[in-house]
Amino acid sequence: MTKDMEELLTRAVEKVIPRELARKKLMSGEKLRIYFGVDPTGAKLHLGHSVPLRKLKAFASAGHEIIFLVGSFTAMIGDPSGRDMMRSPLSREEVEQNFQTYKLQAGKILDISSIEVRYNHEWLDPLRFKDVAELASNFTVQQMLQRDMFEKRMKEGKPISVLEFLYPLMVGYDSVVLDVDCELGGSDQEFNMLAGRSLQAAYKKRDKFVLTTRLIEGVDGRKMSKTYDNAIYLEDLPSDMYGKLMSIKDSLIKTYFECLTDVSMDEVEEILSGHPKEAKMRLAFEITKIYHGEKAARKAAENFEETFS
């Protein structure tokens, strides 16, 4: 396996399941069908959202077939991933409006107009109750309860709706319809993506491997989230983005370089061997450059130095 192939499976990656299948498919030299699905439940993207998008771009650059799936049906229901309460449903109009905003921001990383975009209401809307029952027959209640957020809610006496049990079935059915070689997503989506792997096997489709990308921490060391007010947003002004990046903990510098920049890991090791402040300044410059251009990144760096030197 070449170094570039190996990096597809390692850089900014949490897990590859099963890894041997992924290696075999990549080494076959065939163009793989890879998809990433998003429920556009919010309109503002932060650097944490950029990690799977950057990995998708890496696969596209390697010549693979990319499918960007909009959860136009599932976003109206809401994924319980990482939540201790049920999510409020959205209308189709709200979902589409959010996606248009999402697309503009994601376009800073990935040219969505150049890849295939699908909407899962195309196949989920027409399902009959008989079809849903057939899908549900592939899973047990015990399997569903293995989701950590369900387990937590049960211990705390909080409700779990049957609809939330059905969510992994719906996103799993996306894999069946798209018949992909790989599904890519954040590590909080592992359960849902493995449900898709099981359903592809049940429906005798391709053998899919799952690749989960790392979740990154925000400026306060907790998971980057709008809820915690610790996020660095793709639409932050250059000076704000640079300043926030300079405020992260030193322990996060290597992770940020790996997940959020194009700097080679060999060069990252060299950078990290120097002074932490110099490493962080290089990091802040590289990330700000991606979203605002080199000129704006240099100006932000100069402003920071003038203010804090």
Side-chain angles (χ1 to χ4, degrees):
M1 177 174 280
T2 67
K3 185 177 180 180
D4 288 344
M5 285 182 187
E6 192 64 40
E7 190 163 271
L8 283 174
L9 300 181
T10 55
R11 183 161 184 167
V13 171
E14 187 73 31
K15 289 183 185 178
V16 181
I17 310 170
R19 182 171 290 276
E20 281 310 307
L21 175 64
R23 290 172 64 89
K24 180 182 175 183
K25 281 182 177 281
L26 280 176
M27 290 177 70
S28 72
E30 295 178 5
K31 182 185 285 191
L32 305 185
R33 282 173 61 83
I34 298 171
Y35 98 93
F36 170 63
V38 61
D39 286 350
T41 52
K44 211 171 178 186
L45 299 189
H46 54 62
L47 288 179
H49 296 125
S50 77
V51 183
L53 288 170
R54 287 177 54 78
K55 181 56 66 175
L56 202 65
K57 180 184 179 182
F59 274 104
S61 298
H64 298 291
E65 181 183 354
I66 304 300
I67 302 168
F68 189 95
L69 178 68
V70 183
S72 48
F73 186 95
T74 43
M76 296 190 297
I77 293 159
D79 177 23
S81 290
R83 290 180 164 260
D84 56 8
M85 297 294 286
M86 291 182 287
R87 174 177 265 150
S88 301
L90 299 174
S91 68
R92 180 69 53 74
E93 291 72 24
E94 288 173 315
V95 170
E96 182 58 34
Q97 186 176 357
N98 283 346
F99 176 59
Q100 293 309 317
T101 308
Y102 183 107
K103 190 161 61 171
L104 286 172
Q105 296 168 80
K108 293 173 179 285
I109 303 164
L110 183 71
D111 182 8
I112 295 180
S113 65
S114 68
I115 60 177
E116 184 179 357
V117 177
R118 300 291 300 274
Y119 292 79
N120 67 6
H121 74 268
E122 297 171 20
W123 50 85
L124 292 176
D125 263 349
L127 289 182
R128 300 165 300 169
F129 193 84
K130 177 177 178 291
D131 302 317
V132 176
E134 183 182 324
L135 274 175
S137 70
N138 291 285
F139 299 94
T140 65
V141 170
Q142 287 88 339
Q143 282 175 295
M144 293 300 173
L145 289 176
Q146 286 174 5
R147 298 198 76 174
D148 53 0
M149 77 288 299
F150 288 159
E151 195 175 354
K152 182 183 177 187
R153 280 202 229 161
M154 287 185 70
K155 286 179 180 176
E156 296 174 352
K158 293 178 179 177
I160 303 169
S161 75
V162 174
L163 192 58
E164 289 178 296
F165 268 15
L166 293 176
Y167 185 92
L169 273 64
M170 292 181 236
V171 293
Y173 190 61
D174 293 342
S175 289
V176 173
V177 173
L178 296 174
D179 193 18
V180 292
D181 294 290
C182 166
E183 182 178 1
L184 184 157
S187 59
D188 56 344
Q189 293 297 309
E190 180 181 326
F191 186 94
N192 294 334
M193 293 194 285
L194 289 176
R197 174 170 159 76
S198 298
L199 285 176
Q200 277 188 248
Y203 283 81
K204 295 181 171 51
K205 299 289 185 176
R206 303 183 198 203
D207 196 4
K208 175 186 89 169
F209 69 90
V210 164
L211 186 150
T212 65
T213 54
R214 295 176 64 178
L215 299 179
I216 63 169
E217 296 170 349
V219 295
D220 62 356
R222 292 183 292 176
K223 175 187 170 184
M224 189 174 287
S225 169
K226 183 179 180 181
T227 305
Y228 297 144
D229 193 27
N230 67 353
I232 302 170
Y233 293 99
L234 304 194
E235 293 196 326
D236 278 344
L237 293 172
S239 56
D240 292 338
M241 179 176 282
Y242 190 97
K244 286 181 183 179
L245 286 162
M246 289 299 294
S247 73
I248 66 169
K249 295 180 178 180
D250 289 354
S251 59
L252 294 177
I253 297 174
K254 183 175 182 179
T255 299
Y256 272 43
F257 264 118
E258 178 185 346
C259 296
L260 304 174
T261 78
D262 298 317
V263 180
S264 74
M265 292 312 294
D266 289 340
E267 187 177 353
V268 169
E269 291 301 332
E270 287 182 30
I271 294 168
L272 294 176
S273 66
H275 194 282
K277 183 188 175 185
E278 296 295 324
K280 200 179 289 185
M281 289 174 68
R282 174 69 185 276
L283 173 70
F285 171 77
E286 290 292 340
I287 295 176
T288 305
K289 181 176 72 172
I290 290 171
Y291 298 102
H292 296 287
E294 186 167 345
K295 185 178 178 181
R298 292 202 183 283
K299 183 67 175 173
E302 290 167 8
N303 290 343
F304 185 88
E305 280 290 282
E306 288 172 6
T307 304
F308 295 101
S309 291

